[in-house]
Each structure stands twice: as C-alpha cells, then as structure tokens.
Amino acid sequence: MNIDKSQVAQRFAKAGQSYTQHAIVQKQICQQLLQLMQHYLPKNALNRVFEIGCGSGNLSHLLMRHFAIQQLLLNDLYPEVQQHFQHDPKLQWWIGDVEQLDFPQSLDLISSSSALQWVSDLDAIFKKSAAALIENGYFCFSTFGQKNLKEIKALTGQGLDYLTLEEIQHKLLKQGFEILHLSENLETLTFSHPNAVLQHLKATGVTATASQHRWGKQSLQQFYQDYQQFSELDQSGQHHYQLSYHPIYCIARSKP
C-alpha cells in the first residue's frame, strides 16, 4: 500500500490536541517500551538520542524523565508537534519524512513508538539506523503487527500492510543488529457503539490510511450493523464493541 505522507501529517496534525487524551493504547505501549529499555540499556547517561515519529511526546517525555540524555533529536512529519514540548536546550528538531532525511550520526540510541508502521521501506530505515548508531548503540522501538485494527480492515478493506514478527526479525538481522528482545501481544479496547470506535480512531489520527473511504448515511449504518460480529454482551445485556491493537516490541543493539 502506498502511503500518502502529506495526508498522514495532515490527519495527525488535526488530531494533535485529542491524541494525548485518546491514545490510551499508544501510551501503554510507550510505558511498556520504556520498561524494556530500562531493563536492557546501561544505566549511564546517553549522549545523543534520536526519536523517529515523536508525535505529542508520549515516549519523549518518558525518556527525558528516566534517562540522563545530553541531546534529544526529535523527528516528526510536521512542525506542529513542537507545541507539545517546552523549550529545552537539550532538544533539537529533525522535521520531515524520516525516509527522505539524512539521519544524525554518532547516536547512542534510536527510539520510536507506534510510528514505524507508516514507513514504506523499513529495510532502508534499519540500514540508516545501523549506520547512525555508535558501536553497541541501541535501537529500541514498538510498531504494530498484522492483527492491528483487524476489525476495521475486515469491514472496510482499509488499513496498513503490517509485517510479522519474523519479517521484522529478518530485516534487523540482515542489517547486523543483535536482537536482545522481540515480543508481541494483543490489546483490546471496548466501546459502547461502533460510532465510538470511529471517533476514537479519528481522535488518534489513525484514519490517515482511509483516503478513499467516504462515509455516507447508508454505508455508516451498514458499518454499525456489520460491527455487531465484533461485539459481546455483558451481564446487563449491554453491547461492548471490540477494537484490537497488536503491538510489537524490539530492543536491538548494533554490533561492533
């Protein structure tokens, strides 16, 4: 699937204010990724850290709080993300499409959370990452697997082409990374109505893939009806509509 980066930027910029509030799973993923990093990374200071797709700063703020970072270089598609950060001499901005940018060099750590699924050529990103890291530098990220938002893809045909854990592993090994941790799990959110599912996706910018999808009254009603198959009844007879997230976590290290 060809990803329109300008549209991705536009949708996420539009969702900028609501993202922090509604991106429940993405926040949990950042927390989980941070815990893995605290376990695997050395306890001493990190000189230069580069974050791909920092968004509203869920991971960035955790990194600054829990690691002694000398310089944090933040990347995202659009400059509006800077509103989520206070001025800090440690911060440098690397705005633009990460697939087109030259990476900063001599990095101790490259991090990314819930962003790499938007990349068209992951091999190229892994190659640039390997070249930009110092000897024994770390590449720590979360992305999403094939069951991510599977309900939406089943009903609309819209969605990203996600990689499997094995494909990600193969691509990392091909670039000479040592994989210290690689895992996946499924997270399920529940909503009171299919419309609440759509509102959640809109508030988190995830509708950036749905370029050809226009809701009419009839198609919306059909969507609500079809979504019944992804619902469960609770003890009081209320429907709960499920939405799946499929995070993948990786901690890798560049070899000498």
Side-chain angles (χ1 to χ4, degrees):
M1 176 185 179
N2 289 326
I3 296 168
D4 183 345
K5 294 289 176 67
S6 62
Q7 188 174 59
V8 173
Q10 190 182 2
R11 295 279 170 91
F12 276 104
K14 206 171 176 183
Q17 296 304 323
S18 58
Y19 184 90
T20 312
Q21 182 188 343
H22 292 274
I24 307 153
V25 172
Q26 288 86 346
K27 277 186 189 171
Q28 290 171 353
I29 289 169
C30 286
Q31 294 277 2
Q32 176 65 23
L33 182 60
L34 179 84
Q35 285 174 17
L36 288 168
M37 289 165 72
Q38 287 177 307
H39 179 75
Y40 286 99
L41 269 62
K43 300 294 182 276
N44 53 342
L46 297 164
N47 289 325
R48 281 165 62 79
V49 176
F50 180 47
E51 185 185 348
I52 297 169
C54 66
S56 57
N58 281 333
L59 181 62
S60 326
H61 294 119
L62 288 173
L63 289 174
M64 287 189 281
R65 201 175 306 143
H66 294 280
F67 289 97
I69 296 172
Q70 301 305 310
Q71 196 175 37
L72 180 57
L73 304 114
L74 296 175
N75 155 262
D76 212 299
L77 280 167
Y78 54 99
E80 287 86 351
V81 294
Q82 295 177 42
Q83 68 187 307
H84 300 290
F85 297 82
Q86 292 178 337
H87 175 73
D88 188 325
K90 290 180 184 176
L91 294 184
Q92 271 191 29
W93 290 97
W94 223 263
I95 298 296
D97 180 357
V98 75
E99 296 198 68
Q100 310 299 326
L101 291 175
D102 291 329
F103 278 25
Q105 297 297 299
S106 304
L107 300 168
D108 297 70
L109 167 67
I110 296 174
S111 63
S112 180
S113 189
S114 304
L116 292 177
Q117 69 274 7
W118 297 106
V119 166
S120 304
D121 186 355
L122 202 57
D123 287 293
I125 295 297
F126 285 0
K127 188 176 183 177
K128 287 202 279 189
S129 297
L133 286 165
I134 61 167
E135 194 175 294
N136 291 319
Y138 289 85
F139 185 23
C140 305
F141 64 86
S142 72
T143 185
F144 291 106
Q146 293 185 320
K147 292 179 182 173
N148 201 55
L149 309 178
K150 60 187 173 78
E151 298 85 358
I152 305 301
K153 197 160 194 174
L155 298 184
T156 68
Q158 296 288 332
L160 296 173
D161 297 322
Y162 298 102
L163 298 176
T164 65
L165 192 81
E166 292 73 25
E167 286 169 329
I168 291 169
Q169 181 179 32
H170 175 72
K171 290 178 186 299
L172 286 165
L173 293 173
K174 199 166 74 174
Q175 300 305 332
F177 280 103
E178 177 188 3
I179 299 171
L180 305 178
H181 177 95
L182 193 57
S183 66
E184 62 187 337
N185 67 308
L186 273 178
E187 306 279 350
T188 306
L189 293 183
T190 55
F191 297 87
S192 58
H193 191 276
N195 185 50
V197 175
L198 293 180
Q199 291 304 315
H200 164 78
L201 292 173
K202 187 179 179 184
T204 54
V206 178
T207 51
T209 53
S211 54
Q212 310 307 318
H213 211 77
R214 295 285 177 270
W215 294 107
K217 192 175 179 183
Q218 197 173 348
S219 63
L220 206 53
Q221 289 304 320
Q222 187 64 51
F223 175 80
Y224 296 163
Q225 193 177 325
D226 292 343
Y227 215 99
Q228 301 292 333
Q229 64 188 285
F230 304 118
S231 71
E232 288 182 349
L233 283 174
D234 65 15
Q235 290 173 327
S236 62
Q238 295 294 312
H239 276 281
H240 293 277
Y241 297 86
Q242 298 179 338
L243 182 65
S244 303
Y245 282 92
H246 181 186
I248 291 174
Y249 300 95
C250 177
I251 306 289
R253 185 165 57 196
S254 62
K255 289 183 179 176

